[in-house]
Amino acid sequence: MNDPKDNLQDAATNDVEDAVIDVMDIESLDTDALQIELDKAKAEAADNYEQLLRAQAELANQRRRSEKQIEDAHKYAAQKFLESIIPVIDSLEMGMQAQGDIEQIREGMALTLKQFETVMEKFNITSVGKPGDAFNPEHHQAMSMQPHPEFDNNTLSLVMQKGYLLNGRVVRPAMVMVSKK
């Protein structure tokens, strides 16, 4: 049988031998090589941190540019419409200064109206509300209902004020009178 003292002594000897090996391993490590590895790791970490800061700054700049572009788009959205409507305004101003008979003035007004309709068509602005059209509560505001011999039930018999759609969306509903039988 093994003596417990021998086992204890063997264990202590093994621990001492392991400690000596560990010390020898540490001594065999080159501190200069470790320092070089540490310096490389520090440099890589600093480079990565710098790249992170640059990426964050670029994202912040991109966000500011996008916000400025959106702000400008809202601010100047009507510019193309205004550029198209200015000639109509010019025509109206010239018509106000016109002298002559009423037929010439009416002819000038008709040409100006045609210019205006062209601009509206260009920007997909359409008018709604013509006598004989079917009543559409989304596009028409019924002012009253009256019997009318020429029109079917629930059709427009009179348009008091045209309505307008912008790209199919109601800007102003037409004020109309609806026929009933």
Side-chain angles (χ1 to χ4, degrees), residues 8-156:
L8 193 57
Q9 192 172 18
D10 288 340
T13 305
N14 287 339
D15 287 344
V16 170
E17 288 175 0
D18 289 342
V20 170
I21 291 172
D22 288 342
V23 170
M24 289 176 33
D25 286 344
I26 292 173
E27 289 176 354
S28 68
L29 292 177
D30 185 12
T31 56
D32 292 336
L34 287 176
Q35 187 62 43
I36 291 171
E37 288 296 317
L38 178 62
D39 291 343
K40 283 181 186 178
K42 283 181 179 179
E44 186 176 344
D47 186 48
N48 289 340
Y49 183 70
E50 185 177 326
Q51 287 178 10
L52 172 71
L53 291 178
R54 287 177 191 265
Q56 286 176 337
E58 181 61 32
L59 283 173
N61 290 339
Q62 183 65 34
R63 184 178 23 86
R64 280 193 292 274
R65 278 192 297 270
S66 295
E67 288 171 355
K68 175 75 169 126
Q69 288 172 346
I70 290 170
E71 179 184 325
D72 288 349
H74 286 115
K75 189 186 267 185
Y76 301 112
Q79 182 173 347
K80 288 186 187 287
F81 181 73
L82 180 61
E83 290 170 354
S84 297
I85 202 100
I86 288 174
V88 178
I89 294 169
D90 293 341
S91 294
L92 286 171
E93 288 174 345
M94 286 190 300
M96 294 297 292
Q97 298 172 0
Q99 295 181 2
D101 68 355
I102 192 72
E103 286 306 312
Q104 289 176 328
I105 293 174
R106 282 185 185 267
E107 186 179 326
M109 287 178 66
L111 290 172
T112 302
L113 182 60
K114 180 65 180 157
Q115 267 185 319
F116 195 72
E117 289 169 344
T118 302
V119 170
M120 290 176 61
E121 186 178 306
K122 178 180 177 183
F123 288 93
N124 204 18
I125 300 169
T126 54
S127 64
V128 293
K130 296 178 190 128
D133 286 352
F135 177 72
N136 179 346
E138 292 178 9
H139 296 166
H140 306 121
Q141 179 179 354
M143 301 309 290
S144 70
M145 292 184 79
Q146 289 185 343
H148 199 287
E150 296 178 27
F151 296 105
D152 293 334
N153 202 24
N154 286 329
T155 58
L156 308 183

